[in-house]
Amino acid sequence: MPENSVVVNLNQFERSRRAQVSADTLSVLHGCRDLLIEGATRVLTRQAEAMEKTLLAMAERSPLLETRNSYYSAQGILNRQANELLSACKEAFCQAFNDFAHNREKTAGGDLLELSLVDDHDFEVTLAIDKATSRLRFNCAEELVALDARMAHLLGRSDLAENDNPLGPRALCEALLDGIAKMQPEQNVRIVLLNQFDLVLTTELAGIYQSLNRHLIDRGILPDIKVGAKSRGQAGAAAQPGAPGTPAQAQASNDMFRMFEQLAHGSNPAGPAAPGLAGFSLLDSLGQLQSGSMMLPGGVRFELPVLEAATISNVLRSLQQSPVMQAVSPLDAVLVDAVAMLFDVVFEEAAIPDRLKAQIGRLQIPVLKAAMLDRNFFSQANHPVRRMLDAIATLSVHLPDNETGNARLEAISHVITGVLDSFEQDIAVFESAAAELEAMGSSLDETLEETLEASLQPDIAQIRQAERAELAPVIVHDFINRALKEQTVADSVREFLRRDWAQLLTQDYVKEGEQGAHFNSHVETMRELIWSVQPKADMDARLMLVRILPGLLKRLREGTAEIELPQKLADRFFATLVVLHANAVRPNTQPVPLPDISPEEIEDMIPAAAAEPAAPAAAEPAVPEVEDEYTQRARALNKGDWVEFHYDDGTFRWARLGWISSIKNTYLFSDQDGMNSFSIGLHRLAEKLRRGEAVLVERKSITESAFGKLMKLFRQKLGYA
């Protein structure tokens, strides 16, 4: 820009006018930097092996060679260079953070004085970072509201855009990608690794940001900030609900409590207080009701229906019909209605067995009391009470109808009894219960995974062998054709390879596959045989033939013995081979004539049983290969997903997907204990989904689903929808 220009580059101006941070501020910033990157790399190190397994599974299922290679390359980097990779990511983040702290941020687009096209590779990288950033920001929405405000205060700014926070998800994702790039993998491999890092951090980053906020609070940086006071949609007021990067669910939960207040102020659902109930406090009396009954003013005893372990009953509906509700505040009445609706939705959830719903039902009064004590219950997806309910629901898949399932149900009941006995006002009771149930679920998942890894191996080997048997004729034919391509070979050799040696290759392929040692050895023997009968014009080639011939003949005889080639046919072939080798090394162009043999003679030498093809095994009735939403649902299944299969007699069972064949799209399922397994093809599974004979079991948060339905119901009450 000319020296006498009056045009000011606003980016440069903003950086130049910002004051240098003080030494104390810089010390706090460095502490935050270290907490974030150390926490993130510690999580990634701990999950490195899990990421490797995920990448291998994705590679096995990918139909495209290029995509498979990307997954394998990413897995190889994690396997051999994980420490080096994470050190590079850590170094990249620290460098970027230090540049920010010392006013050395990189500019976005240089001087922004000209437009240029973005190539496809840059666009893919930008898109990958945007997606990763949006996912992390959504899952850490509560924590980032406070962190953005504290960082703005620390840096002396009035506000800080969400992508300008040097500790935010955007800065972290860009640094991770820069660190990955230092390992010099191809761009698609970088994106694969970034996606894996993002998926791992999605569940862990919120806890790291919580520690960052505590670190800043301990140093006096906005200790009294009200988390959630800043509008989540402030960064983009025009953004639609559910748009990428918009924490729509967290916003919906906050909106829900505002709806409760509107309903309470707009009407008086409790009605006039009953005589003698003035000053009555529902919250104070819920402790008594939790034990079975409460005393009303005047000595009247009120009891709820008895909750037994085998019954499902929404006792909060009984509470709403009782005289108690005549004395509660309008807001408390709305809260009782909301929690009652929550349990209505949970009890309607088809994926939860009735005997587990009965256990969840025992928690109705404690959950109501917790919701009245801590209204974050309605705004925090990871609230301890909600975590406990979700943890119980996810254990549904581990409750087979047998002695093992009964023992697990008893363990769940024991945890719930502990909450009923000990909960008064400390929400931490739910925290420890949720942690115990989550640990139980993780342990059962790991045990089931280990059981399946061992028990499914014979089935997987059998399916793979059956699939290879179907493909073997095509594969072997292709290998032989490529070996013979543009080669001048006697008809007797061609006939031997296509008729006899093909049997050996087929056996090898069915047993071991294309990478098997025997298959590759016999392919190499075939290539040596073809080379050995070619004319040898120079002395080096002739000497080479003399060196390899004993071993070649030995391998050929072993191969013909393995397929039990009739002795007369084998003798005839090796006699012909002697002549072919002699002709190959003759210096003149007059070859020795080959012994004649008619097709009829060859047929006489081959046993009748070998000449007749085996009768094909009876196959299942063909299923139309329809491509629709049900086929897509079947394709989208991943290892570990659960499906509920329904049968004509009205029974059903849950089955866990343990393996997917990459060749024929065969799905291998096992039962809830991993003891029994069965396989099913892609299109047959899609047909069952289409008919309702199979239903996908979504292991999602029941409280999140319930609050979504709750939100809709209350919006309808207020006339919003």
Side-chain angles (χ1 to χ4, degrees):
M1 201 174 287
E3 292 183 3
N4 59 352
S5 172
V6 295
V7 178
V8 177
N9 185 318
L10 293 180
N11 288 330
Q12 298 290 343
F13 174 73
E14 175 64 25
R15 289 206 309 277
S16 64
R17 75 184 183 88
R18 194 200 318 161
Q20 293 287 335
V21 296
S22 66
D24 290 341
T25 299
L26 196 60
S27 175
V28 175
L29 286 173
H30 284 171
C32 292
R33 175 201 66 191
D34 294 341
L35 277 174
L36 176 58
I37 194 59
E38 292 289 349
T41 53
R42 187 163 52 248
V43 168
L44 293 172
T45 301
R46 189 171 65 244
Q47 295 294 329
E49 185 176 350
M51 287 189 283
E52 284 187 54
K53 291 181 179 178
T54 299
L55 288 168
L56 286 174
M58 292 168 69
E60 189 175 358
R61 293 201 310 272
S62 176
L64 300 178
L65 178 61
E66 182 180 358
T67 307
R68 281 203 304 273
N69 289 339
S70 298
Y71 291 146
Y72 283 134
S73 297
Q75 186 270 337
I77 291 173
L78 285 174
N79 182 262
R80 296 186 298 272
Q81 300 174 283
N83 291 336
E84 184 181 349
L85 171 63
L86 294 177
S87 294
C89 292
K90 182 177 178 180
E91 182 182 346
F93 179 82
C94 291
Q95 182 61 52
F97 189 93
N98 293 343
D99 288 344
F100 175 92
H102 295 90
N103 297 342
R104 295 196 302 262
E105 307 112 301
K106 57 185 179 182
T107 61
D111 292 333
L112 301 177
L113 297 179
E114 64 181 77
L115 297 175
S116 63
L117 294 175
V118 177
D119 65 29
D120 291 342
H121 295 303
D122 290 340
F123 177 77
E124 288 178 6
V125 170
T126 302
L127 186 62
I129 291 177
D130 287 343
K131 285 183 177 179
T133 301
S134 296
R135 183 157 44 215
L136 292 176
R137 179 163 285 278
F138 173 80
N139 284 282
C140 304
E142 289 283 336
E143 293 77 9
L144 285 170
V145 169
L147 185 62
D148 288 347
R150 290 193 172 98
M151 286 299 296
H153 179 81
L154 188 62
L155 296 169
R157 299 187 185 183
S158 58
D159 194 14
L160 192 66
E162 60 182 27
N163 284 339
D164 289 344
N165 188 340
L167 300 172
R170 181 83 185 190
L172 180 59
C173 289
E174 288 179 344
L176 290 175
L177 192 62
D178 289 343
I180 295 168
K182 291 182 180 179
M183 306 304 294
Q184 299 182 340
E186 296 178 357
Q187 181 164 284
N188 51 352
V189 178
R190 300 178 195 176
I191 293 175
V192 167
L193 285 169
L194 178 64
N195 287 338
Q196 285 300 305
F197 286 3
D198 172 51
L199 291 172
V200 167
L201 291 172
T202 293
T203 58
E204 302 277 357
L205 196 57
I208 298 174
Y209 279 142
Q210 289 170 9
S211 65
L212 276 173
N213 277 309
R214 287 194 296 270
H215 177 79
L216 291 169
I217 290 171
D218 291 343
R219 282 147 186 80
I221 311 299
L222 298 184
D224 299 322
I225 188 173
K226 293 182 180 180
V227 177
K230 179 180 176 181
S231 172
R232 303 292 171 82
Q234 202 169 30
Q240 296 297 320
T246 304
Q249 292 166 318
Q251 182 67 45
S253 296
N254 289 334
D255 290 344
M256 184 182 296
F257 200 83
R258 284 196 285 272
M259 285 184 187
F260 295 166
E261 293 174 330
Q262 291 178 40
L263 285 167
H265 293 150
S267 62
N268 185 3
L277 292 180
F280 173 79
S281 169
L282 177 62
L283 181 59
D284 292 342
S285 300
L286 283 178
Q288 302 173 30
L289 197 59
Q290 186 173 317
S291 302
S293 65
M294 70 168 67
M295 294 299 299
L296 300 178
V300 179
R301 179 183 297 274
F302 171 73
E303 295 183 354
L304 288 174
V306 177
L307 278 176
E308 298 178 354
T311 60
I312 304 171
S313 174
N314 194 333
V315 297
L316 297 182
R317 294 302 183 196
S318 299
L319 178 64
Q320 286 182 297
Q321 302 300 321
S322 70
V324 173
M325 298 304 294
Q326 298 180 24
V328 302
S329 70
L331 182 56
D332 283 349
V334 173
L335 290 178
V336 172
D337 192 32
V339 178
M341 286 184 183
L342 169 68
F343 280 97
D344 282 340
V345 174
V346 171
F347 292 153
E348 291 171 2
E349 181 59 57
I352 304 176
D354 286 349
R355 53 186 184 155
L356 195 58
K357 289 177 184 176
Q359 292 296 330
I360 295 175
R362 297 172 60 201
L363 290 166
Q364 291 173 79
I365 298 303
V367 169
L368 173 59
K369 190 165 75 169
M372 297 180 71
L373 284 168
D374 183 6
R375 291 172 184 175
N376 285 330
F377 173 73
F378 296 99
S379 61
Q380 291 181 356
N382 62 344
H383 190 276
V385 179
R386 292 171 64 167
R387 278 180 51 209
M388 180 182 181
L389 293 174
D390 287 336
I392 296 173
T394 56
L395 287 167
S396 299
V397 296
H398 294 295
L399 295 178
D401 192 12
N402 56 26
E403 187 175 341
T404 301
N406 295 337
R408 292 170 185 169
L409 188 67
E410 184 63 31
I412 295 170
S413 177
H414 178 73
V415 175
I416 293 173
T417 300
V419 172
L420 292 170
D421 291 344
S422 58
F423 176 54
E424 294 181 0
Q425 291 192 344
D426 188 1
I427 303 296
V429 171
F430 289 96
E431 179 77 41
S432 59
E436 185 175 352
L437 290 165
E438 287 166 349
M440 185 189 304
S442 297
S443 175
L444 290 173
D445 281 338
E446 290 175 5
T447 301
L448 182 58
E449 184 69 28
E450 292 173 1
T451 302
L452 289 179
E453 285 296 326
S455 65
L456 291 182
Q457 290 310 309
D459 294 327
I460 292 173
Q462 186 176 2
I463 292 173
R464 282 176 168 162
Q465 193 170 56
E467 291 178 341
R468 289 197 298 268
E470 189 175 339
L471 294 175
V474 177
I475 300 295
V476 170
H477 181 75
D478 181 60
F479 268 89
I480 295 174
N481 279 349
R482 279 187 283 163
L484 290 171
K485 186 178 181 181
E486 298 179 0
Q487 299 291 341
T488 304
V489 180
D491 290 341
S492 56
V493 174
R494 288 180 181 273
E495 186 66 22
F496 169 77
L497 293 176
R498 294 188 188 281
R499 186 193 62 229
D500 304 323
W501 203 252
Q503 295 181 44
L504 184 61
L505 293 178
T506 299
Q507 290 179 12
D508 292 338
Y509 182 80
V510 171
K511 288 179 182 177
E512 303 174 342
E514 193 171 324
Q515 304 303 320
H518 290 87
F519 181 82
N520 282 281
S521 173
H522 291 143
V523 167
E524 186 60 30
T525 298
M526 172 179 67
R527 291 171 179 158
E528 284 188 14
L529 170 61
I530 294 171
W531 176 85
S532 71
V533 298
Q534 304 298 313
K536 305 294 180 282
D538 56 67
M539 185 57 66
D540 289 340
R542 294 170 190 166
L543 291 174
M544 176 65 73
L545 176 59
V546 172
R547 283 199 297 271
I548 72 167
L549 198 53
L552 173 61
L553 293 174
K554 179 175 181 292
R555 293 195 301 275
L556 287 171
R557 290 191 181 278
E558 289 173 346
T560 56
E562 191 172 339
I563 61 173
E564 298 181 351
L565 186 67
Q567 191 62 47
K568 288 184 180 180
L569 205 55
D571 292 343
R572 175 76 67 168
F573 170 71
F574 284 106
T576 301
L577 203 55
V578 170
V579 177
L580 289 173
H581 287 149
N583 288 337
V585 297
R586 287 176 67 86
N588 56 52
T589 58
Q590 295 297 323
V592 175
L594 297 174
D596 292 329
I597 182 171
S598 66
E600 290 76 13
E601 290 179 281
I602 294 177
E603 287 184 13
D604 291 340
M605 296 179 187
I606 300 176
E612 294 178 3
E620 292 185 359
V623 177
E625 296 189 1
V626 179
E627 286 293 336
D628 59 8
E629 61 174 304
Y630 298 99
T631 312
Q632 293 303 317
R633 288 183 195 175
R635 290 188 194 280
L637 284 174
N638 294 305
K639 181 181 177 182
D641 288 344
W642 290 84
V643 177
E644 186 178 270
F645 288 92
H646 294 257
Y647 302 97
D648 294 338
D649 60 359
T651 62
F652 67 88
R653 66 167 168 166
W654 284 7
R656 182 183 186 275
L657 180 57
W659 176 77
I660 304 174
S661 162
S662 59
I663 299 176
K664 299 285 289 182
N665 282 329
T666 301
Y667 291 69
L668 184 60
F669 287 92
S670 64
D671 62 12
Q672 289 167 283
D673 280 332
M675 295 294 104
N676 300 296
S677 62
F678 65 94
S679 61
I680 185 172
L682 167 67
H683 292 286
R684 187 167 295 278
L685 176 58
E687 181 65 17
K688 285 187 175 293
L689 291 170
R690 200 174 290 115
R691 294 179 179 179
E693 296 172 3
V695 180
L696 306 185
V697 178
E698 299 183 37
R699 297 181 71 180
K700 59 186 178 182
S701 163
I702 59 164
T703 57
E704 183 179 313
S705 174
F707 276 119
K709 294 177 182 178
L710 218 59
M711 184 79 170
K712 184 177 180 180
L713 289 172
F714 278 104
R715 287 178 67 86
Q716 289 173 346
K717 281 190 175 185
L718 289 169
Y720 291 169

